[in-house]
Amino acid sequence: MKGENKLLQLTKKLLNEQYGINDKIFNIIMDAEKDVKNQFENIDEIREYNQFKVLQAFRNNHISDAHFHNTTGYGYDDLGRDALDRVFAEIFNAEDALVRANIISGTHALSLALYGVLRPGDTLLAVTGKPYDTLDDVIGISDKANDAGSLKDLGVNYKQVDLKDGLEVDFDALKLALTPDVKVAMIQKSKGYAWRSSLSTENIKEIISFIKSINKDIICFVDNCYGEFIEPLEPTSVGADLVAGSLIKNAGGGIAPTGGYIAGKSKYIEKVAYRLTVPGIGKEAGCNLGVIRLLYQGLFFAPHVSAESVKGAILTARVFEKLGFEVCPASSDKRMDIIQSIKFNDPEKLIAFCQGIQSGSPVDSHVEPQPWDMPGYNDQVIMAAGTFVQGASIELSADAPIRPPYIAYLQGGLNYDHVKIGLMIALQKMVDRRILNV
Ligand SMILES: *Cc1c(COP(=O)(O)O)cnc(C)c1O
């Protein structure tokens, strides 16, 4: 115990001398950590369960060095590509999966799924309110010109069931909205840029059962971005026909350099693959250009890294609760994704916080992010992402659209310690700018 205390004093001294962290900030973080430590056990249990599941899928599919080889050109008989699809499918309890480095982002993965299964005259129904901002132009609901091949441009209709009081699924309105033209019901697990709790797998199960009880043929599609490996089961284990997500979020474990995945029923994955490549070829071609090992290795790390991120998010929630800010979810709430929202009610505080997170990053700590017009977003956005993989939000990052009430969305952290130090640096920056009193 004595030795530990000595080391703690040394850390405190180092943080003070090298990072300019004062004792008050240090103590706030340490006290907050004490408050939430008992919750970490539950997260460890989920992490272990998910790690066993991932390991088992590797073992069952006899993954070996041969799967990591580079392929070029058409990529016919790319063993690694085909086996990675099977490994993902097994982990997600799905019939099939499509996991590719040339799926450039989560938005691309989600779009592939939508374009893959929707046809002119069909209706896409958003069940959990307006989908994530970057899908506006895909669906065709932004005010931009609409001849770009959005779903709307191609004759796919769109309807949305708003959340009741902005918080939960409105089952009465959903029932009315489930007209015969609805082909796809889209459910967003994570709250994205909204102030509500994210959906649990249990919630998703309930929503899907409800939809299927009205029309079993509706394709239930879950935007699973940020949700992977946070709970023991993925949405495909509770009835989802399709799920999609990004490999520079949870499912890539901080190691995948790019990529996305879609998992679900074979008949739909086939159509989605036809959209990624071309009808007739689908999943059968596409070389891996040598990055495939990183997709495997990242997947193997994913349960662990996702758990570290969640612990960081819980710590963040507790710290800001102590400082008197509103947070969502609260530090004691069950976690369904890795996002922590903090309401700053003040653009200066929001910007300082994001800049502080950036300056506590291993990469580009010396640059100061500014709000900018990011492609795909309709408000200015500030993004702190001092990450090894550009924009990877499984790494510690904070972003925020610059609009009232000035909410920062913090997520990621390859390891918990980094989140802890990053928080100290961000708070110190706010104190130094005299916009935070501690
Ligand atoms: C991040 C995210 C997306 C979009 O993913 P990108 O990789 O940024 O394109 C979509 N939906 C949700 C809920 C997300 O969190």
Side-chain angles (χ1 to χ4, degrees):
M1 273 320 277
K2 222 171 166 197
E4 275 175 35
N5 256 331
K6 223 169 133 190
L7 189 57
L8 193 68
Q9 292 311 317
L10 200 63
T11 305
K12 197 168 169 176
K13 190 160 165 267
L14 173 85
L15 287 169
N16 183 267
E17 287 172 3
Q18 307 286 322
Y19 294 79
I21 310 286
N22 71 29
D23 282 5
K24 275 187 182 160
I25 299 285
F26 184 81
N27 291 334
I28 287 170
I29 306 267
M30 298 307 286
D31 289 347
E33 185 175 62
K34 277 191 202 122
D35 294 347
V36 295
K37 263 232 153 116
N38 60 344
Q39 276 164 260
F40 290 179
E41 262 171 51
N42 176 247
I43 292 161
D44 290 342
E45 278 173 19
I46 295 169
R47 183 198 64 208
E48 277 179 18
Y49 177 80
N50 282 324
Q51 189 65 59
F52 295 152
K53 203 163 64 174
V54 169
L55 175 62
Q56 194 56 7
F58 276 64
R59 295 174 71 233
N60 287 343
N61 287 282
H62 296 179
I63 299 308
S64 68
D65 192 56
H67 293 108
F68 305 152
H69 287 176
N70 184 13
T71 59
T72 56
Y74 296 123
Y76 291 138
D77 303 316
D78 183 328
L79 296 178
R81 179 194 66 211
D82 294 343
L84 185 60
D85 288 347
R86 289 196 297 274
V87 169
F88 256 81
E90 183 171 332
I91 293 165
F92 279 75
N93 207 356
E95 289 173 9
D96 201 359
L98 182 69
V99 189
R100 295 291 182 277
N102 65 334
I103 297 178
I104 65 149
S105 65
T107 305
H108 188 196
L110 293 160
S111 304
L112 285 171
L114 294 172
Y115 281 103
V117 299
L118 286 159
R119 296 292 178 269
D122 288 343
T123 295
L124 166 65
L125 177 68
V127 175
T128 43
K130 196 180 91 54
Y132 193 77
D133 293 28
T134 55
L135 291 173
D136 288 6
D137 291 336
V138 174
I139 297 168
I141 50 173
S142 64
D143 24 343
K144 293 204 190 109
N146 217 343
D147 59 356
S150 67
L151 289 167
K152 184 179 176 190
D153 192 22
L154 301 183
V156 174
N157 304 310
Y158 172 74
K159 290 199 293 199
Q160 158 183 327
V161 177
D162 286 324
L163 293 168
K164 203 153 59 177
D165 305 320
L167 294 175
E168 48 189 74
V169 172
D170 186 338
F171 283 93
D172 296 330
L174 176 57
K175 190 170 182 179
L176 293 175
L178 287 170
T179 46
D181 53 312
V182 173
K183 172 85 156 285
V184 173
M186 181 166 162
I187 299 160
Q188 186 178 309
K189 178 172 168 67
S190 170
K191 60 183 172 273
Y193 288 153
W195 190 269
R196 63 165 169 98
S197 66
S198 297
L199 300 180
S200 66
T201 305
E202 200 51 43
N203 296 144
I204 291 172
K205 182 179 178 180
E206 189 191 352
I207 296 165
I208 294 175
S209 308
F210 183 81
I211 294 169
K212 298 275 184 185
S213 75
I214 290 171
N215 179 354
K216 66 173 175 34
D217 295 328
I218 290 176
I219 301 169
C220 292
F221 170 47
V222 178
D223 173 351
N224 206 26
C225 284
Y226 288 135
E228 302 90 350
F229 303 115
I230 304 304
E231 295 178 83
L233 295 179
E234 299 299 327
T236 26
S237 288
V238 296
D241 298 298
L242 276 176
V243 293
S246 164
L247 297 190
I248 64 168
K249 295 182 179 175
N250 308 19
I255 290 177
T258 182
Y261 76 90
I262 300 111
K265 297 248 164 75
S266 304
K267 59 183 174 184
Y268 303 134
I269 293 293
E270 182 178 43
K271 287 184 201 282
V272 174
Y274 285 163
R275 176 71 199 195
L276 175 66
T277 64
V278 297
I281 293 179
K283 298 178 69 180
E284 310 289 318
C287 61
N288 74 55
L289 290 175
V291 300
I292 193 124
R293 179 180 58 81
L294 299 176
L295 307 194
Y296 279 103
Q297 207 170 341
L299 176 62
F300 188 69
F301 268 90
H304 183 87
V305 174
S306 302
E308 293 287 289
S309 294
V310 171
K311 288 179 185 173
I314 293 173
L315 176 68
T316 306
R318 188 62 196 141
V319 166
F320 279 96
E321 281 169 355
K322 278 180 165 315
L323 292 170
F325 290 86
E326 252 189 279
V327 295
C328 177
S331 65
S332 57
D333 286 345
K334 181 175 179 286
R335 297 283 153 161
M336 273 74 90
D337 63 20
I338 63 169
I339 303 184
Q340 183 60 50
S341 318
I342 309 141
K343 196 181 277 181
F344 284 102
N345 285 317
D346 174 354
E348 259 191 88
K349 287 193 176 112
L350 172 78
I351 291 168
F353 175 74
C354 293
Q355 290 176 343
I357 291 294
Q358 178 79 34
S359 89
S361 300
V363 179
D364 285 337
S365 59
H366 53 288
V367 304
E368 194 158 76
Q370 304 293 339
W372 67 300
D373 296 308
M374 203 170 148
Y377 294 83
N378 291 318
D379 287 293
Q380 279 210 319
V381 176
I382 184 166
M383 288 217 160
T387 54
F388 294 94
V389 169
Q390 189 195 80
S393 45
I394 188 61
E395 301 183 45
L396 181 61
S397 49
D399 41 56
I402 308 295
R403 65 185 178 219
Y406 304 104
I407 297 167
Y409 298 86
L410 178 109
Q411 66 272 313
L414 295 176
N415 57 62
Y416 170 76
D417 311 275
H418 177 217
V419 181
K420 192 169 155 183
I421 299 173
L423 272 177
M424 289 187 195
I425 294 173
L427 291 185
Q428 191 64 49
K429 182 162 285 262
M430 294 169 76
V431 169
D432 294 345
R433 289 195 189 161
R434 299 180 195 290
I435 50 178
L436 182 70
N437 287 318
V438 294

